[in-house]
Amino acid sequence: ISGRSRRIPAVWNLASSAGKKVGVVGWWATHPAEEVNGFFISDHASPILYEKLPLSGVAFPSSLESGVGQTVARESRIGAAELAKFVDVPTAEIDQALASGKGMQNPIVALSRIVGATRVYQRAARELYDRNHPDLLMLYIEGTDEIGHVFAPSAPPRLACTPEEDVRRYSRAADEYYALVDRLIGQWMRRAEEDGATLLVS
């Protein structure tokens, strides 16, 4: 699915048509980036599902594409030491998984992409918000969904179908990730208070 799958205007279209300045970052099924009164970063900036796709059409205005590419390259590189905060796996094994060329079917690679996408979207949203001060900013953190797809079976209480070794290695991953997201939301809460804005979390 893509942005072309939507049959009715989105809230950012309504706000933009009303003359409000808007910013959209990472919203699900929004590629190619839409023309708005402001800025738009499509979901193809995410390394979760679109790691090797070209970034053409990822941003509006198109002048943002090179900066998005730099943000993706910088923020999506997650090292073993950082990933070790989420799982009980030796760093040497994490390094091996990251170098394996495997995709989302590997839990370590999946975790790396999820954390990377979170950092990409957060950094892009903060930098563009600071630069443009939109009336409406919409930021989608895809990892809050993906983390459950990958690691919920290993979270306590243990399911009969989950190997004990997976529970030992990955039982903390979802909780640690949500703690990361809580910290990011805390940053937006403080910024909203500073700017007199209303923050909605859904």
Side-chain angles (χ1 to χ4, degrees), residues 21 39 127-136 191 195:
K21 186 184 295 186
F39 61 88
E127 290 183 354
L128 290 169
Y129 178 88
D130 290 343
R131 196 184 312 164
N132 295 275
H133 299 288
D135 298 299
L136 171 68
R191 186 58 187 270
D195 293 350

Side-chain angles (χ1 to χ4, degrees), residues 48-170:
I48 295 178
L49 298 177
Y50 307 110
E51 183 188 33
K52 296 182 180 178
L53 288 184
L55 291 177
S56 176
V58 78
F60 177 84
S62 59
S63 57
L64 294 176
E65 286 182 4
S66 61
V68 171
Q70 292 171 11
T71 300
V72 171
R74 181 179 63 248
E75 299 296 334
S76 64
R77 288 197 301 265
I78 312 298
E82 185 169 356
L83 293 178
K85 300 173 184 176
F86 296 83
V87 294
D88 294 302
V89 178
T91 54
E93 188 176 336
I94 295 175
D95 278 327
Q96 185 179 20
L98 295 176
S100 68
K102 295 180 180 178
M104 289 289 288
Q105 72 276 12
N106 180 283
I108 298 299
V109 174
L111 178 62
S112 173
R113 292 189 187 181
I114 291 168
V115 175
T118 304
R119 288 180 21 171
V120 166
Y121 286 162
Q122 172 73 0
R123 177 57 63 88
R126 285 302 296 264
E127 290 183 354
L128 290 169
Y129 178 88
D130 290 343
R131 196 184 312 164
N132 295 275
H133 299 288
D135 298 299
L136 171 68
L137 174 70
M138 297 188 64
L139 168 62
Y140 181 66
I141 301 180
E142 182 182 355
T144 55
D145 174 45
E146 296 291 342
I147 201 76
H149 286 291
V150 179
F151 293 105
S154 300
R158 176 178 173 266
L159 302 174
C161 60
T162 304
E164 290 185 9
E165 179 66 5
D166 285 359
V167 173
R168 185 189 68 78
R169 291 158 65 90
Y170 306 127

